[in-house]
């Protein structure tokens, strides 16, 4: 598999990306901003700006009586305060979990696969930016973290379990590669909180009681006794449990078997799941051997099968092999069977976002039909027929956005058992997906998997490339390609190399052969590192124009109607008479209130004396 050229193209992006500059999630514009958005407004509104600044300074002095000190410190000028509407062009917060598993995990994996020192250098830089998010009182990360800020031991608040419990693989691997244990110690503190910080008294999920060793989808380390809510292996909780078994691989193979903490936490959680969540599916006519991992919410269990939960087949299979839990392998096969059945039972052969089975003891799962001529009637010419489409399904969310969890478990079942039937199942899933979702530019989202004439949505998630297509590819690749004996996947399907003894390390092979003629040279081009990707550089151009327009709009709004009668949609030059009136008014003010040299010069744009750098200023310390 020679992907060196493709890797070099991606390498240019990794080299130039600026981690301190976040581009707002908004439609990308290819229009060039007008030059008057940057400079031409000076002549139009400068008289009004002078008046507004003097008025604001007077108000500030009256409120705080620090006017002279403020003027001395800032040269008689106040920094412009931009509205939140203007601030949206350069957001300052990141989703900690998503950034870690996708970007940090992706670069660490790229280093393990390529041996390229650039990837490790940039991963270390990003890890340093994210690390302070773990600086809370109990060590649980802030889910929406403002880059450069310091939680200073504050509370993490109510947090999503999967987001605070799924950072450990990436930071542990970063510590191993850099030799700096700081990253590992930070995430280990979070796992210790999840392990021992929540009481394990018996409960029923209705009020405060915890369901065995499971944790609810939302946790608050500051209120550890509040354990009510939804218990699930699906959305909001999935990767926490997944990382327990994969971290157990790390403990024994990455960390040398120092501790059995993660294996114990995993075993206790799975034992509790058998008690509270895992149930056989008994309502599908003609089908046995199906198992679902449902949802317990406020004391009530629901036979809901989420696509997000379908990763659990692979997780249970790995745990069975690693920890000697033989019974779990049967459950792993049955869970994967149920997820594959969800694909096979739809009209298109593609699995839905979620479905809910009828309860086996629910009488409403049948309806009465007239059947006088059939042997299975009740003798009165009537019979019960199962409800659902397909039969046994109460409700379903029929959307499909390219999720990877089912093919992930199919991949693990094949690698763990060697049974070729899983390749056959995977091929059927893949061909159905291609038939109904592929376009000229990617795989579209399907609105309803039960309509053969599918309605497509113009959307493709990043995990389609990172996970779904990768697992399909590996399913049909030789087992020694990314062997499970040598690699462990993070939750975004980025493979991390499992360290081996020195003799085996000498036999390593990498998938990168070095830079080619179309790519950047090796990482000696320091001037390019972090300068910004084309998207970031272009966004800065638009940001500069938007910030100036927002600033001027505020000043115009505060100015007197005599100077500018109403806000202008664009920065057009006002009539000459209006400009002359403004000049005369300004001249009269300067004669009666002279200012220090340099202040009020028409050659200095408002705010220019305040300096500035990339984005809103220099990167935070």
């Amino acid at each position: 598999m020679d992907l060196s050229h493709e890797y070099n193209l991606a390498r240019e992006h990794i080299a130039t990306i600026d981690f301190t500059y976040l581009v707002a999630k908004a439609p990308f514009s290819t229009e060039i901003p007008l030059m008057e958005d940057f400079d031409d407004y000076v002549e139009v509104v400068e008289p009004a700006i002078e008046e507004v600044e003097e008025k604001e300074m007077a108000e500030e002095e009256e409120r705080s009586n620090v006017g002279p000190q403020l003027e001395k410190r800032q040269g008689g000028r106040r920094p412009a305060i931009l509205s939140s509407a203007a601030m949206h062009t350069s957001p300052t917060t990141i989703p900690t979990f998503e950034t870690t598993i996708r970007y940090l995990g992706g670069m660490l994996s790229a280093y393990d696969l390529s041996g390229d020192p650039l990837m490790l250098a940039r991963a270390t830089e990003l890890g340093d930016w994210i690390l302070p998010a773990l600086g809370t009182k109990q060590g649980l990360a802030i889910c929406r973290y403002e880059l450069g800020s310091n939680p200073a031991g504050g509370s993490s608040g109510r947090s999503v379990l999967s987001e605070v419990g799924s950072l450990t693989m990436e930071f542990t691997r970063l510590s191993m590669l850099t030799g700096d244990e700081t990253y590992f110690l930070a995430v280990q503190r979070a796992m210790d909180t999840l392990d021992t910080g929540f009481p394990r008294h018996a409960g029923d999920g209705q009020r405060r009681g915890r369901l065995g060793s499971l944790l609810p989808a939302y946790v608050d380390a500051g209120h550890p006794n509040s354990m009510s809510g939804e218990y699930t292996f699906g959305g909001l909780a999935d990767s926490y449990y997944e990382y327990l078994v994969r971290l157990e691989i790390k403990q024994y193979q990455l960390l040398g078997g120092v501790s059995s903490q993660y294996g114990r936490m995993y075993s206790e959680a799975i034992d509790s799941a058998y008690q509270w969540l895992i149930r056989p599916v008994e309502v599908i006519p003609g089908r046995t051997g199906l198992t679902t991992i449902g949802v317990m919410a406020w004391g009530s269990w629901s036979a809901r099968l989420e696509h997000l939960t379908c990763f659990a087949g692979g997780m249970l299979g790995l745990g069975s092999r690693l920890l000697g839990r033989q019974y779990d392998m049967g459950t792993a096969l049955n869970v994967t069977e149920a997820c594959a059945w969800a694909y096979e039972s739809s009209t298109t052969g593609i699995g839905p976002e979620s479905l809910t089975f009828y309860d086996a003891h629910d009488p409403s799962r049948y309806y009465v039909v007239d059947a006088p001529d059939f042997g299975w009637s009740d003798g009165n010419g009537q019979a019960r027929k199962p409800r659902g489409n397909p039969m046994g399904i109460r409700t379903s969310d029929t959307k499909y956005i390219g999720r990877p969890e089912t093919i992930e478990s199919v991949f693990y079942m094949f690698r763990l058992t060697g049974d070729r039937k899983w390749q056959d199942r995977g091929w059927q899933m893949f061909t159905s997906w291609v038939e109904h979702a592929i376009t000229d530019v990617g795989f579209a989202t399907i609105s309803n998997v039960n309509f053969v004439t599918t309605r497509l949505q113009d959307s493709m998630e990043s995990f389609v490339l990172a996970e779904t297509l990768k697992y399909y590819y590996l399913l049909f690749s030789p087992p020694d390609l990314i062997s499970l004996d040598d690699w462990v996947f993070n939750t975004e399907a980025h493979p991390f190399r499992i360290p081996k003894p020195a003799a085996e390390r000498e036999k390593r092979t990498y998938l990168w052969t070095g830079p080619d003629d179309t790519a950047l040279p090796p990482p000696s081009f320091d001037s390019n590192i972090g300068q910004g990707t084309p998207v970031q550089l272009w966004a800065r151009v638009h940001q500069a124009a938007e910030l100036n327009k927002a600033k001027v709009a505020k000043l115009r709004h505060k100015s007197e109607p005599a100077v500018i009668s109403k806000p202008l949609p664009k920065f057009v030059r006002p009539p000459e008479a209006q400009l002359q009136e403004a000049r005369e008014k300004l001249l009269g003010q300067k004669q009666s209130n002279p200012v220090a040299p340099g202040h009020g010069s028409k050659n200095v744009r408002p705010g220019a004396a305040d300096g500035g750098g990339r984005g809103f200023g220099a990167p935070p310390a």
Side-chain angles (χ1 to χ4, degrees):
M1 184 174 64
D2 183 8
L3 297 175
S4 285
H5 175 67
E6 291 77 7
Y7 172 80
N8 283 324
L9 296 177
R11 187 172 184 267
E12 294 184 24
H13 173 81
I14 296 299
T16 57
I17 190 170
D18 177 3
F19 295 132
T20 70
Y21 186 86
L22 309 181
V23 178
K25 185 178 180 180
F28 187 75
S29 173
T30 58
E31 296 182 0
I32 300 176
L34 300 175
M35 288 304 298
E36 55 261 31
D37 291 352
F38 294 94
D39 297 308
D40 288 0
Y41 72 86
V42 175
E43 213 175 338
V44 176
V45 299
E46 190 167 10
I49 290 174
E50 295 294 335
E51 294 178 2
V52 171
E53 287 186 339
E54 290 179 7
K55 181 179 179 181
E56 289 182 342
M57 288 183 65
E59 292 175 352
E60 178 72 17
E61 182 177 358
E62 182 178 350
R63 284 194 301 268
S64 59
N65 197 29
V66 293
Q69 294 87 336
L70 179 66
E71 181 174 354
K72 180 179 180 180
R73 185 170 63 251
Q74 299 182 345
R77 303 183 63 87
R78 293 183 61 217
I81 301 175
L82 299 178
S83 67
S84 58
M87 295 285 283
H88 85 279
T89 57
S90 182
T92 58
T93 61
I94 61 168
T96 307
F97 166 69
E98 303 288 354
T99 304
T100 300
I101 65 171
R102 285 174 165 81
Y103 294 96
L104 180 58
M107 285 185 285
L108 291 171
S109 178
Y111 174 74
D112 277 338
L113 289 164
S114 68
D116 183 358
L118 171 68
M119 294 298 163
L120 180 57
R122 301 248 64 194
T124 304
E125 180 185 348
L126 180 58
D128 289 339
W129 278 108
I130 302 174
L131 186 64
L134 290 153
T136 61
K137 183 176 182 180
Q138 290 86 10
L140 300 186
I142 296 175
C143 294
R144 294 290 304 185
Y145 172 61
E146 182 176 359
L147 287 176
S149 65
N150 184 1
S155 172
S156 58
R158 188 169 181 259
S159 306
V160 176
L161 175 61
S162 62
E163 295 189 0
V164 297
S166 307
L167 309 177
T168 323
M169 282 188 66
E170 293 76 14
F171 280 98
T172 297
R173 186 60 179 150
L174 183 59
S175 279
M176 298 179 64
L177 293 173
T178 62
D180 186 347
E181 67 176 359
T182 304
Y183 309 107
F184 168 73
L185 293 176
V187 290
Q188 180 60 40
R189 181 166 170 255
M191 294 305 293
D192 288 341
T193 295
L194 294 173
D195 182 21
T196 62
F198 297 92
R200 303 193 183 198
H201 53 264
D204 58 6
Q206 291 182 340
R207 294 186 179 179
R208 291 178 176 269
R210 180 178 177 182
L211 301 186
S213 294
L214 300 173
L215 287 169
Y218 289 94
V219 294
D220 187 343
H223 299 85
N225 290 313
S226 179
M227 302 297 290
S228 58
E230 184 173 281
Y231 287 78
T232 176
F233 274 15
L236 307 179
D238 45 4
S239 53
Y240 164 68
Y241 299 103
E242 175 188 8
Y243 269 32
L244 290 179
V245 68
R246 299 191 184 190
L247 284 163
E248 182 63 10
I249 295 175
K250 281 184 168 299
Q251 286 282 23
Y252 280 97
Q253 295 174 303
L254 293 183
L255 302 178
V258 176
S259 168
S260 62
Q261 177 187 17
Y262 297 133
R264 172 184 55 78
M265 292 173 67
Y266 172 80
S267 295
E268 291 173 351
I270 299 304
D271 290 342
S272 295
Y274 278 117
Q275 179 181 358
W276 296 101
L277 302 180
I278 301 175
R279 302 282 189 277
V281 177
E282 302 172 334
V283 296
I284 306 301
R287 289 300 302 262
T288 58
L290 304 182
T291 298
T292 186
I293 304 178
V295 176
M296 178 71 78
W298 304 99
S300 176
W301 183 80
S302 172
R304 190 166 80 215
L305 177 63
E306 297 182 22
H307 202 296
L308 285 166
T309 308
C310 286
F311 83 94
M315 176 189 72
L316 290 166
L318 278 176
S320 173
R321 288 296 179 87
L322 181 65
L323 301 175
R325 297 173 56 94
Q326 299 303 320
Y327 182 80
D328 288 353
M329 180 56 76
T331 306
L333 291 166
N334 290 347
V335 168
T336 308
E337 282 283 357
C339 294
W341 173 87
Y343 276 67
E344 296 160 2
S345 64
S346 74
T347 306
T348 59
I350 301 171
E353 180 75 4
S354 67
L355 52 82
T356 302
F357 299 99
Y358 277 101
D359 186 273
H361 306 290
D362 184 358
S364 67
R365 75 184 184 97
Y366 297 102
Y367 64 97
V368 178
V369 296
D370 294 328
D373 299 326
F374 297 96
W376 44 273
S377 66
D378 62 359
N380 297 318
Q382 293 182 324
R384 295 190 308 169
K385 185 176 181 180
R387 295 180 186 271
N389 182 25
M391 289 185 182
I393 301 302
R394 179 187 290 274
T395 60
S396 61
D397 179 352
T398 56
K399 190 175 184 179
Y400 180 70
I401 62 175
R403 288 201 185 277
E405 291 78 18
T406 298
I407 189 57
E408 175 183 353
S409 285
V410 168
F411 159 75
Y412 277 108
M413 291 304 99
F414 173 66
R415 286 287 183 95
L416 293 172
T417 67
D419 191 338
R420 295 292 295 271
K421 81 170 186 179
W422 293 109
Q423 285 186 315
D424 296 336
R425 306 284 283 278
W427 181 250
Q428 183 178 355
M429 292 162 53
F430 179 71
T431 55
S432 297
W433 185 36
V434 170
E435 178 183 358
H436 295 288
I438 199 168
T439 70
D440 292 339
V441 293
F443 287 88
T445 291
I446 296 176
S447 298
N448 192 324
V449 298
N450 288 322
F451 289 169
V452 174
T453 306
T454 53
R455 185 166 65 88
L456 303 180
Q457 298 179 9
D458 185 15
S459 173
M460 188 178 86
E461 300 285 346
S462 64
F463 50 67
V464 171
L465 294 174
E467 300 183 71
T468 312
L469 288 172
K470 186 183 298 178
Y471 283 125
Y472 276 119
Y473 181 85
L474 291 174
L475 176 63
F476 301 103
S477 299
D480 59 351
L481 179 64
I482 313 297
S483 168
L484 297 182
D485 294 327
D486 301 319
W487 300 86
V488 56
F489 291 90
N490 83 338
T491 192
E492 197 67 10
H494 296 309
F496 294 169
R497 192 184 293 270
I498 298 173
K500 300 290 183 179
E504 295 188 35
R505 287 201 299 269
E506 296 177 358
K507 302 177 184 179
R508 285 182 181 175
T509 58
Y510 294 102
L511 301 181
W512 182 50
T513 59
D516 54 32
D517 294 338
T518 63
L520 293 171
S524 59
F525 48 97
D526 295 336
S527 60
N528 292 323
I529 300 295
Q531 71 176 3
T533 65
V535 172
Q536 289 178 314
L537 296 175
W538 189 241
R540 288 194 186 110
V541 174
H542 284 271
Q543 181 196 25
E546 290 298 322
L547 292 178
N548 281 329
K549 287 195 292 185
K551 184 176 181 180
V552 173
K554 176 185 177 182
L555 294 172
R556 283 179 170 160
H557 179 71
K558 290 185 176 183
S559 63
E560 296 181 5
V563 179
I564 299 179
S565 59
K566 60 180 180 179
L568 300 175
K570 290 186 178 180
F571 299 111
V572 257
R573 184 181 179 87
E576 188 62 31
Q578 188 174 354
L579 284 175
Q580 184 60 32
E581 180 182 355
R583 292 191 189 100
E584 293 174 357
K585 185 174 181 179
L586 176 62
L587 181 60
Q589 290 176 344
K590 288 183 176 180
Q591 291 176 348
S592 58
N593 298 299
V595 296
H599 294 168
S601 171
K602 291 177 62 177
N603 295 323
V604 180
R605 290 172 51 195
D610 301 327
R614 296 183 299 187
F616 283 101

